[in-house]
Amino acid sequence: MKIAVQNLSFTYAEHKVLTEISLTVESGNFFGIIGPNGSGKTTLLKLLSRVLRPESGLVKLGERALDSYSQNDLAKVMAVVVQDTFAGYLFSVEEIVMMGRTPYLGRFQAETLQDYALVRQALELTGCLELRQRKIAELSGGERQRVMIARALAQQPKVLILDEPTAHLDIGYQQEILDLVKRLCLTEGLTVVTVLHDLNLAAYYCNELVLLEQGRIAAAGSPADVLTAENIARVYKTAVLISPHPLLGTPTVALLPSKRASLPQQKKSRIHLLAGGGSAGELMRDLREAGYILSVGVLNVGDSDWEAARSLNLPLVAEAPFSAITAEQHTQNLRLIQQANVVVLAEIPIGHGNLLNLRAALTALAEGKAVYLLEENVKQQRDFTQGEGQELLAEIKQGGAVIITEKARLYRALAETL
Protein backbone atom coordinates (compact mmCIF):
# COMPACT_ATOMS: atom_id res chain seq x y z
CA MET A 1 0.00 0.00 0.00
CA LYS A 2 1.42 3.33 -1.11
CA ILE A 3 1.87 6.32 1.23
CA ALA A 4 1.84 9.86 -0.17
CA VAL A 5 2.68 12.93 1.91
CA GLN A 6 1.86 16.35 0.49
CA ASN A 7 3.10 19.64 2.00
CA LEU A 8 2.90 18.37 5.57
CA SER A 9 3.57 20.87 8.37
CA PHE A 10 3.32 20.56 12.12
CA THR A 11 3.87 22.88 15.09
CA TYR A 12 4.21 22.10 18.79
CA ALA A 13 2.90 25.18 20.59
CA GLU A 14 4.91 27.90 18.83
CA HIS A 15 7.77 25.63 17.73
CA LYS A 16 7.69 24.68 14.04
CA VAL A 17 8.73 21.02 13.89
CA LEU A 18 7.99 20.11 10.26
CA THR A 19 7.65 22.42 7.28
CA GLU A 20 6.07 21.42 3.95
CA ILE A 21 7.23 17.80 3.88
CA SER A 22 6.36 15.97 0.65
CA LEU A 23 7.39 12.39 -0.06
CA THR A 24 6.12 9.11 -1.49
CA VAL A 25 6.63 5.61 -0.14
CA GLU A 26 5.87 3.05 -2.82
CA SER A 27 4.11 -0.20 -1.98
CA GLY A 28 6.47 -2.90 -0.74
CA ASN A 29 9.28 -0.42 -0.08
CA PHE A 30 11.61 -0.38 2.93
CA PHE A 31 11.73 3.37 3.60
CA GLY A 32 14.03 4.97 6.18
CA ILE A 33 13.77 8.32 7.93
CA ILE A 34 17.12 9.65 9.20
CA GLY A 35 18.42 12.90 10.61
CA PRO A 36 20.01 14.38 13.73
CA ASN A 37 18.22 14.68 17.05
CA GLY A 38 15.45 17.27 16.91
CA SER A 39 15.10 17.15 13.13
CA GLY A 40 11.48 15.94 13.26
CA LYS A 41 11.86 12.20 12.55
CA THR A 42 9.57 10.88 15.29
CA THR A 43 7.03 13.65 14.70
CA LEU A 44 6.84 12.67 11.03
CA LEU A 45 6.35 9.05 12.01
CA LYS A 46 3.53 10.03 14.39
CA LEU A 47 1.83 12.00 11.63
CA LEU A 48 2.09 9.03 9.27
CA SER A 49 0.50 6.78 11.89
CA ARG A 50 -2.14 9.38 12.88
CA VAL A 51 -0.95 9.67 16.45
CA LEU A 52 -0.73 13.39 15.62
CA ARG A 53 -2.82 15.46 13.23
CA PRO A 54 -1.02 17.81 10.81
CA GLU A 55 -1.28 21.57 11.04
CA SER A 56 -1.53 21.59 7.25
CA GLY A 57 -0.98 19.23 4.37
CA LEU A 58 -2.25 15.76 3.58
CA VAL A 59 -1.26 12.13 4.17
CA LYS A 60 -2.76 9.55 1.83
CA LEU A 61 -2.78 5.83 2.55
CA GLY A 62 -3.55 4.00 -0.65
CA GLU A 63 -6.15 6.03 -2.50
CA ARG A 64 -7.70 7.52 0.64
CA ALA A 65 -6.80 10.37 2.95
CA LEU A 66 -5.46 9.04 6.25
CA ASP A 67 -8.11 11.02 8.14
CA SER A 68 -10.89 9.19 6.32
CA TYR A 69 -10.10 5.84 7.98
CA SER A 70 -11.92 4.82 11.13
CA GLN A 71 -9.63 3.71 13.93
CA ASN A 72 -10.63 0.09 13.41
CA ASP A 73 -10.18 0.20 9.63
CA LEU A 74 -6.78 1.87 10.00
CA ALA A 75 -5.64 -0.85 12.41
CA LYS A 76 -6.43 -3.44 9.73
CA VAL A 77 -4.05 -1.87 7.22
CA MET A 78 -1.38 -0.23 9.39
CA ALA A 79 0.53 -1.53 12.41
CA VAL A 80 2.88 0.51 14.57
CA VAL A 81 5.80 -0.70 16.68
CA VAL A 82 7.35 1.88 18.99
CA GLN A 83 10.43 1.61 21.19
CA ASP A 84 10.17 -0.74 24.18
CA THR A 85 6.39 -1.06 24.00
CA PHE A 86 4.71 -1.71 27.35
CA ALA A 87 2.25 -4.42 26.58
CA GLY A 88 1.34 -5.59 30.06
CA TYR A 89 4.14 -7.55 31.62
CA LEU A 90 1.80 -10.10 33.22
CA PHE A 91 0.64 -11.40 29.82
CA SER A 92 2.15 -14.31 27.97
CA VAL A 93 3.76 -13.88 24.56
CA GLU A 94 0.81 -15.60 22.87
CA GLU A 95 -1.66 -13.30 24.65
CA ILE A 96 0.33 -10.25 23.57
CA VAL A 97 0.37 -11.34 19.95
CA MET A 98 -3.36 -12.15 20.08
CA MET A 99 -3.95 -8.47 20.90
CA GLY A 100 -3.12 -7.85 17.25
CA ARG A 101 -6.39 -9.53 16.31
CA THR A 102 -8.47 -6.98 18.28
CA PRO A 103 -9.49 -4.92 15.19
CA TYR A 104 -11.15 -8.01 13.72
CA LEU A 105 -13.15 -8.96 16.80
CA GLY A 106 -16.55 -7.54 17.67
CA ARG A 107 -17.47 -6.51 21.19
CA PHE A 108 -17.48 -9.55 23.49
CA GLN A 109 -16.54 -11.77 20.51
CA ALA A 110 -14.20 -14.65 21.31
CA GLU A 111 -11.16 -15.46 19.21
CA THR A 112 -11.80 -17.91 16.40
CA LEU A 113 -9.70 -20.79 15.11
CA GLN A 114 -8.60 -18.49 12.29
CA ASP A 115 -7.35 -15.93 14.82
CA TYR A 116 -5.30 -18.58 16.58
CA ALA A 117 -3.93 -19.78 13.23
CA LEU A 118 -2.86 -16.24 12.29
CA VAL A 119 -1.26 -15.70 15.69
CA ARG A 120 0.69 -18.94 15.30
CA GLN A 121 1.79 -17.85 11.83
CA ALA A 122 3.02 -14.50 13.20
CA LEU A 123 4.88 -16.28 15.99
CA GLU A 124 6.55 -18.61 13.48
CA LEU A 125 7.49 -15.78 11.12
CA THR A 126 9.24 -13.90 13.92
CA GLY A 127 10.84 -16.94 15.55
CA CYS A 128 8.73 -16.51 18.70
CA LEU A 129 6.76 -19.78 18.64
CA GLU A 130 8.89 -21.41 21.32
CA LEU A 131 8.38 -18.34 23.52
CA ARG A 132 4.57 -18.36 23.32
CA GLN A 133 3.93 -19.53 26.90
CA ARG A 134 6.49 -17.27 28.54
CA LYS A 135 5.64 -13.97 30.22
CA ILE A 136 6.73 -10.92 28.26
CA ALA A 137 8.57 -9.64 31.35
CA GLU A 138 10.87 -12.68 31.25
CA LEU A 139 12.21 -11.90 27.78
CA SER A 140 15.29 -10.00 26.65
CA GLY A 141 14.98 -6.70 24.80
CA GLY A 142 15.50 -8.35 21.42
CA GLU A 143 12.95 -11.06 22.16
CA ARG A 144 10.38 -8.47 23.28
CA GLN A 145 10.94 -6.51 20.09
CA ARG A 146 10.30 -9.62 18.01
CA VAL A 147 7.10 -10.22 19.98
CA MET A 148 5.93 -6.65 19.29
CA ILE A 149 6.55 -7.19 15.58
CA ALA A 150 4.66 -10.50 15.78
CA ARG A 151 1.71 -8.65 17.35
CA ALA A 152 1.87 -6.11 14.54
CA LEU A 153 1.90 -8.89 11.92
CA ALA A 154 -1.13 -10.51 13.54
CA GLN A 155 -3.02 -7.39 12.48
CA GLN A 156 -2.37 -8.45 8.86
CA PRO A 157 -1.21 -4.94 7.97
CA LYS A 158 -0.18 -3.69 4.58
CA VAL A 159 1.98 -0.98 6.20
CA LEU A 160 4.36 -1.39 9.15
CA ILE A 161 5.59 1.71 11.01
CA LEU A 162 8.70 1.24 13.17
CA ASP A 163 10.21 3.81 15.54
CA GLU A 164 13.87 2.92 16.14
CA PRO A 165 13.26 -0.84 16.10
CA THR A 166 16.89 -1.62 17.00
CA ALA A 167 17.35 0.90 19.83
CA HIS A 168 19.21 -0.61 22.83
CA LEU A 169 19.73 -3.93 21.01
CA ASP A 170 23.10 -5.59 20.44
CA ILE A 171 24.38 -6.08 16.90
CA GLY A 172 23.06 -9.64 16.68
CA TYR A 173 19.51 -8.65 17.57
CA GLN A 174 19.72 -5.61 15.30
CA GLN A 175 20.48 -7.84 12.33
CA GLU A 176 17.84 -10.37 13.36
CA ILE A 177 15.07 -7.76 13.60
CA LEU A 178 15.92 -5.93 10.39
CA ASP A 179 16.52 -9.14 8.42
CA LEU A 180 13.02 -10.21 9.43
CA VAL A 181 11.44 -6.92 8.36
CA LYS A 182 13.36 -6.90 5.08
CA ARG A 183 12.23 -10.45 4.35
CA LEU A 184 8.59 -9.46 4.93
CA CYS A 185 9.01 -6.60 2.47
CA LEU A 186 10.39 -8.96 -0.15
CA THR A 187 8.08 -11.93 0.37
CA GLU A 188 4.84 -10.40 1.69
CA GLY A 189 4.91 -7.03 -0.10
CA LEU A 190 4.80 -5.23 3.25
CA THR A 191 5.44 -1.47 3.10
CA VAL A 192 7.79 -0.46 5.90
CA VAL A 193 8.57 3.02 7.18
CA THR A 194 11.17 3.23 9.94
CA VAL A 195 13.18 5.80 11.86
CA LEU A 196 16.83 4.79 12.23
CA HIS A 197 19.71 6.58 13.91
CA ASP A 198 22.38 4.19 12.67
CA LEU A 199 23.28 5.39 9.18
CA ASN A 200 25.02 2.15 8.25
CA LEU A 201 21.93 0.10 9.13
CA ALA A 202 19.82 2.54 7.13
CA ALA A 203 22.09 2.15 4.10
CA TYR A 204 22.25 -1.63 4.44
CA TYR A 205 18.50 -2.30 4.67
CA CYS A 206 16.52 0.60 3.21
CA ASN A 207 15.58 1.00 -0.46
CA GLU A 208 15.03 4.73 -0.02
CA LEU A 209 15.89 7.32 2.58
CA VAL A 210 14.76 10.79 3.52
CA LEU A 211 17.19 12.97 5.47
CA LEU A 212 15.58 15.60 7.67
CA GLU A 213 17.21 18.78 8.86
CA GLN A 214 15.38 21.15 11.21
CA GLY A 215 12.00 19.94 10.02
CA ARG A 216 12.71 20.09 6.30
CA ILE A 217 13.86 17.52 3.76
CA ALA A 218 17.59 17.93 3.20
CA ALA A 219 17.92 14.99 0.80
CA ALA A 220 15.81 12.09 -0.47
CA GLY A 221 16.39 9.10 -2.71
CA SER A 222 18.51 5.96 -2.69
CA PRO A 223 21.03 5.46 0.14
CA ALA A 224 23.84 6.27 -2.30
CA ASP A 225 22.16 9.58 -3.20
CA VAL A 226 21.40 10.58 0.38
CA LEU A 227 24.40 9.32 2.33
CA THR A 228 27.11 11.50 0.85
CA ALA A 229 29.98 13.06 2.77
CA GLU A 230 28.67 16.49 1.79
CA ASN A 231 25.13 15.82 3.06
CA ILE A 232 26.34 14.40 6.36
CA ALA A 233 28.83 17.23 6.90
CA ARG A 234 26.09 19.79 6.26
CA VAL A 235 23.33 18.18 8.32
CA TYR A 236 25.20 16.37 11.12
CA LYS A 237 28.16 18.78 11.24
CA THR A 238 30.44 15.73 11.14
CA ALA A 239 33.23 14.73 8.77
CA VAL A 240 32.84 11.19 7.42
CA LEU A 241 34.32 8.91 4.81
CA ILE A 242 31.80 7.17 2.53
CA SER A 243 32.92 3.93 0.91
CA PRO A 244 31.11 1.00 -0.72
CA HIS A 245 30.25 -2.02 1.42
CA PRO A 246 32.90 -4.63 0.51
CA LEU A 247 30.25 -7.23 -0.43
CA LEU A 248 27.01 -5.40 -1.25
CA GLY A 249 28.22 -2.06 -2.56
CA THR A 250 25.85 -0.10 -0.32
CA PRO A 251 27.32 3.05 1.29
CA THR A 252 29.18 2.63 4.56
CA VAL A 253 29.81 5.61 6.81
CA ALA A 254 33.05 5.95 8.79
CA LEU A 255 33.87 8.84 11.11
CA LEU A 256 36.85 11.01 10.29
CA PRO A 257 38.84 12.74 13.03
CA SER A 258 37.37 16.02 14.17
CA LYS A 259 38.82 19.23 12.72
CA ARG A 260 38.09 21.34 15.78
CA ALA A 261 40.22 24.45 15.65
CA SER A 262 40.60 24.77 19.42
CA LEU A 263 41.56 21.98 21.78
CA PRO A 264 41.42 21.97 25.57
CA GLN A 265 44.64 22.28 27.58
CA GLN A 266 46.95 22.75 24.59
CA LYS A 267 50.40 21.43 25.54
CA LYS A 268 53.71 22.93 24.44
CA SER A 269 55.32 19.52 23.88
CA ARG A 270 55.89 18.51 20.28
CA ILE A 271 55.67 14.93 19.03
CA HIS A 272 56.77 13.80 15.59
CA LEU A 273 55.18 10.60 14.25
CA LEU A 274 56.97 8.36 11.79
CA ALA A 275 54.01 6.65 10.19
CA GLY A 276 52.47 5.15 7.08
CA GLY A 277 50.34 2.27 5.84
CA GLY A 278 47.45 3.03 8.17
CA SER A 279 49.57 2.55 11.28
CA ALA A 280 49.02 5.89 12.99
CA GLY A 281 45.55 7.30 12.34
CA GLU A 282 44.37 6.42 15.83
CA LEU A 283 47.59 7.76 17.33
CA MET A 284 47.14 11.09 15.56
CA ARG A 285 43.59 11.43 16.79
CA ASP A 286 44.33 10.48 20.40
CA LEU A 287 47.51 12.53 20.77
CA ARG A 288 45.86 15.58 19.22
CA GLU A 289 42.88 15.16 21.57
CA ALA A 290 45.38 15.04 24.46
CA GLY A 291 46.62 18.46 23.38
CA TYR A 292 50.08 17.66 21.99
CA ILE A 293 51.51 19.53 19.00
CA LEU A 294 51.96 16.92 16.29
CA SER A 295 53.78 16.56 13.00
CA VAL A 296 53.95 13.51 10.73
CA GLY A 297 56.21 12.12 8.02
CA VAL A 298 57.01 10.77 5.52
CA LEU A 299 53.64 9.69 4.09
CA ASN A 300 52.71 8.75 0.53
CA VAL A 301 49.90 10.83 -0.93
CA GLY A 302 46.70 8.76 -0.79
CA ASP A 303 47.85 6.64 2.15
CA SER A 304 45.21 6.42 4.90
CA ASP A 305 47.63 8.01 7.37
CA TRP A 306 48.10 10.88 4.89
CA GLU A 307 44.30 11.28 4.78
CA ALA A 308 44.12 11.25 8.58
CA ALA A 309 46.91 13.83 8.95
CA ARG A 310 45.27 16.11 6.40
CA SER A 311 41.87 15.77 8.07
CA LEU A 312 43.47 16.88 11.35
CA ASN A 313 45.37 19.74 9.68
CA LEU A 314 48.70 18.39 10.94
CA PRO A 315 52.07 19.50 9.52
CA LEU A 316 53.32 16.62 7.41
CA VAL A 317 55.92 15.58 4.87
CA ALA A 318 54.37 13.87 1.85
CA GLU A 319 55.84 11.84 -0.98
CA ALA A 320 54.27 10.98 -4.34
CA PRO A 321 51.95 7.94 -4.35
CA PHE A 322 53.71 4.53 -4.44
CA SER A 323 57.10 6.27 -4.54
CA ALA A 324 60.20 5.78 -2.41
CA ILE A 325 61.09 8.56 0.01
CA THR A 326 63.46 10.99 -1.72
CA ALA A 327 66.44 12.71 -0.14
CA GLU A 328 64.55 16.01 -0.23
CA GLN A 329 61.54 14.65 1.69
CA HIS A 330 63.85 12.86 4.12
CA THR A 331 65.55 16.19 4.86
CA GLN A 332 62.18 17.84 5.50
CA ASN A 333 61.30 14.97 7.81
CA LEU A 334 64.50 15.49 9.80
CA ARG A 335 63.71 19.20 10.17
CA LEU A 336 60.40 18.34 11.83
CA ILE A 337 62.17 15.84 14.07
CA GLN A 338 64.59 18.58 15.20
CA GLN A 339 61.63 20.68 16.32
CA ALA A 340 60.05 17.80 18.29
CA ASN A 341 60.59 16.83 21.92
CA VAL A 342 59.76 13.19 21.24
CA VAL A 343 59.65 10.91 18.20
CA VAL A 344 57.17 8.03 17.95
CA LEU A 345 57.80 5.30 15.38
CA ALA A 346 54.46 3.67 14.61
CA GLU A 347 54.14 0.01 13.67
CA ILE A 348 54.57 0.72 9.98
CA PRO A 349 54.79 -1.89 7.23
CA ILE A 350 58.43 -1.75 6.11
CA GLY A 351 59.33 -1.69 2.43
CA HIS A 352 62.34 -0.51 0.47
CA GLY A 353 60.46 2.74 -0.22
CA ASN A 354 60.17 3.85 3.42
CA LEU A 355 63.44 2.64 4.95
CA LEU A 356 64.42 6.30 5.34
CA ASN A 357 61.71 6.64 8.01
CA LEU A 358 63.64 4.09 10.09
CA ARG A 359 66.89 5.92 9.40
CA ALA A 360 65.15 9.12 10.57
CA ALA A 361 64.47 7.41 13.91
CA LEU A 362 68.16 6.50 14.16
CA THR A 363 69.09 10.13 13.47
CA ALA A 364 66.72 11.25 16.23
CA LEU A 365 68.42 8.89 18.69
CA ALA A 366 71.85 10.14 17.62
CA GLU A 367 70.71 13.71 18.35
CA GLY A 368 69.59 12.73 21.84
CA LYS A 369 65.85 12.68 21.12
CA ALA A 370 63.59 10.31 23.02
CA VAL A 371 62.23 7.73 20.56
CA TYR A 372 59.28 5.48 21.35
CA LEU A 373 58.90 2.35 19.24
CA LEU A 374 55.33 0.99 19.15
CA GLU A 375 55.12 -2.78 18.72
CA GLU A 376 51.65 -4.13 19.47
CA ASN A 377 51.68 -7.02 16.97
CA VAL A 378 55.16 -8.51 17.16
CA LYS A 379 54.11 -11.72 15.39
CA GLN A 380 52.71 -9.89 12.39
CA GLN A 381 54.83 -9.92 9.24
CA ARG A 382 55.61 -6.32 8.34
CA ASP A 383 59.17 -6.39 6.96
CA PHE A 384 59.15 -6.78 3.17
CA THR A 385 62.81 -5.90 2.57
CA GLN A 386 64.44 -9.33 2.95
CA GLY A 387 65.74 -8.40 6.38
CA GLU A 388 67.11 -4.88 5.91
CA GLY A 389 64.15 -3.41 7.78
CA GLN A 390 64.61 -5.82 10.70
CA GLU A 391 68.28 -4.87 10.93
CA LEU A 392 67.37 -1.18 11.16
CA LEU A 393 64.72 -1.92 13.80
CA ALA A 394 67.35 -3.81 15.80
CA GLU A 395 69.66 -0.79 15.56
CA ILE A 396 66.88 1.49 16.76
CA LYS A 397 66.28 -0.74 19.79
CA GLN A 398 69.99 -1.00 20.56
CA GLY A 399 70.28 2.78 20.20
CA GLY A 400 67.99 3.32 23.19
CA ALA A 401 64.47 3.49 21.78
CA VAL A 402 61.75 2.75 24.34
CA ILE A 403 59.69 -0.24 23.20
CA ILE A 404 55.97 0.14 23.91
CA THR A 405 53.56 -2.77 23.41
CA GLU A 406 50.23 -0.97 23.88
CA LYS A 407 48.92 2.43 22.83
CA ALA A 408 47.54 3.03 26.32
CA ARG A 409 51.04 2.55 27.77
CA LEU A 410 52.44 4.94 25.18
CA TYR A 411 49.96 7.62 26.21
CA ARG A 412 50.88 7.16 29.88
CA ALA A 413 54.60 7.27 29.13
CA LEU A 414 54.23 10.48 27.14
CA ALA A 415 52.11 12.07 29.87
CA GLU A 416 54.77 11.21 32.47
CA THR A 417 57.74 12.52 30.47
CA LEU A 418 56.34 15.56 28.61
Side-chain angles (χ1 to χ4, degrees):
M1 181 171 278
K2 180 179 176 179
I3 303 172
V5 177
Q6 301 169 7
N7 300 318
L8 200 65
S9 295
F10 185 81
T11 301
Y12 281 117
E14 297 181 355
H15 176 57
K16 195 80 167 180
V17 180
L18 294 173
T19 304
E20 296 183 355
I21 300 293
S22 296
L23 56 88
T24 300
V25 183
E26 297 294 342
S27 181
N29 209 353
F30 196 129
F31 190 91
I33 303 171
I34 59 174
N37 292 335
S39 59
K41 301 184 300 296
T42 298
T43 299
L44 177 56
L45 212 64
K46 288 179 178 180
L47 290 166
L48 296 182
S49 57
R50 215 173 66 181
V51 173
L52 297 174
R53 304 290 175 126
E55 172 189 328
S56 61
L58 176 67
V59 179
K60 292 182 69 176
L61 185 58
E63 300 301 319
R64 296 171 53 184
L66 187 63
D67 279 346
S68 70
Y69 286 84
S70 69
Q71 193 62 40
N72 210 52
D73 286 344
L74 183 61
K76 291 178 181 179
V77 294
M78 177 186 287
V80 181
V81 178
V82 298
Q83 295 182 40
D84 197 23
T85 307
F86 177 79
Y89 288 145
L90 297 179
F91 290 100
S92 70
V93 166
E94 188 171 39
E95 289 168 334
I96 294 292
V97 178
M98 184 60 76
M99 293 175 186
R101 299 303 301 159
T102 301
Y104 299 90
L105 300 175
R107 185 176 293 183
F108 307 120
Q109 180 182 345
E111 296 86 354
T112 65
L113 290 176
Q114 182 186 18
D115 293 319
Y116 280 101
L118 289 168
V119 166
R120 183 181 181 86
Q121 182 182 29
L123 289 167
E124 288 176 340
L125 274 173
T126 54
C128 295
L129 187 60
E130 63 182 24
L131 304 174
R132 65 187 184 279
Q133 300 303 325
R134 293 178 61 183
K135 300 297 183 186
I136 192 79
E138 299 172 1
L139 305 184
S140 68
E143 289 169 334
R144 279 204 307 273
Q145 194 74 326
R146 278 190 287 148
V147 172
M148 294 304 110
I149 292 175
R151 184 179 71 172
L153 296 180
Q155 291 178 225
Q156 295 180 284
K158 294 180 174 62
V159 175
L160 181 61
I161 304 288
L162 302 167
D163 186 9
E164 271 296 310
T166 58
H168 314 303
L169 301 184
D170 64 41
I171 189 171
Y173 277 127
Q174 289 177 3
Q175 183 178 32
E176 186 176 300
I177 294 297
L178 293 175
D179 277 353
L180 165 64
V181 175
K182 185 73 170 183
R183 185 169 70 250
L184 294 170
C185 279
L186 297 172
T187 61
E188 308 294 327
L190 190 65
T191 302
V192 176
V193 180
T194 182
V195 165
L196 290 169
H197 274 293
D198 190 312
L199 300 183
N200 284 314
L201 288 179
Y204 190 93
Y205 287 99
C206 296
N207 307 114
E208 289 188 68
L209 296 173
V210 62
L211 172 61
L212 297 183
E213 179 185 18
Q214 297 181 348
R216 297 180 181 271
I217 293 178
S222 70
D225 291 334
V226 173
L227 294 175
T228 67
E230 294 75 19
N231 285 342
I232 293 173
R234 187 179 75 254
V235 175
Y236 289 90
K237 313 300 184 217
T238 303
V240 298
L241 176 68
I242 305 293
S243 58
H245 187 283
L247 298 180
L248 305 184
T250 55
T252 58
V253 182
L255 286 173
L256 289 176
S258 169
K259 287 187 176 181
R260 294 201 313 272
S262 60
L263 290 168
Q265 300 179 340
Q266 184 73 32
K267 302 177 187 294
K268 294 181 180 180
S269 301
R270 292 178 176 269
I271 297 173
H272 184 72
L273 287 173
L274 296 168
S279 61
E282 187 178 353
L283 284 172
M284 293 180 216
R285 180 199 66 189
D286 292 348
L287 293 174
R288 182 175 180 270
E289 286 295 319
Y292 295 107
I293 302 171
L294 297 181
S295 57
V296 192
V298 174
L299 304 173
N300 289 101
V301 173
D303 184 284
S304 59
D305 281 348
W306 177 80
E307 293 280 8
R310 284 207 319 154
S311 74
L312 289 168
N313 295 325
L314 300 180
L316 68 98
V317 181
E319 187 55 86
F322 310 109
S323 299
I325 298 173
T326 61
E328 180 182 356
Q329 304 310 100
H330 178 56
T331 300
Q332 290 186 31
N333 202 26
L334 293 179
R335 289 197 190 107
L336 289 178
I337 285 175
Q338 289 171 354
Q339 298 170 21
N341 302 100
V342 167
V343 174
V344 174
L345 175 56
E347 203 165 13
I348 59 176
I350 304 168
H352 292 288
N354 68 347
L355 285 173
L356 282 179
N357 270 346
L358 301 188
R359 296 195 181 279
L362 284 171
T363 301
L365 286 167
E367 293 178 353
K369 300 281 184 182
V371 175
Y372 290 89
L373 175 60
L374 186 63
E375 288 192 337
E376 291 185 296
N377 303 292
V378 291
K379 294 182 179 180
Q380 180 178 326
Q381 169 64 22
R382 63 187 186 99
D383 180 15
F384 303 96
T385 64
Q386 291 76 49
E388 188 177 355
Q390 283 297 337
E391 291 177 5
L392 286 172
L393 281 176
E395 285 187 51
I396 292 168
K397 294 173 184 178
Q398 292 166 6
V402 180
I403 301 170
I404 303 286
T405 57
E406 295 178 6
K407 291 187 182 72
R409 290 183 180 178
L410 173 64
Y411 303 150
R412 291 198 298 272
L414 291 170
E416 290 169 1
T417 57
L418 293 178

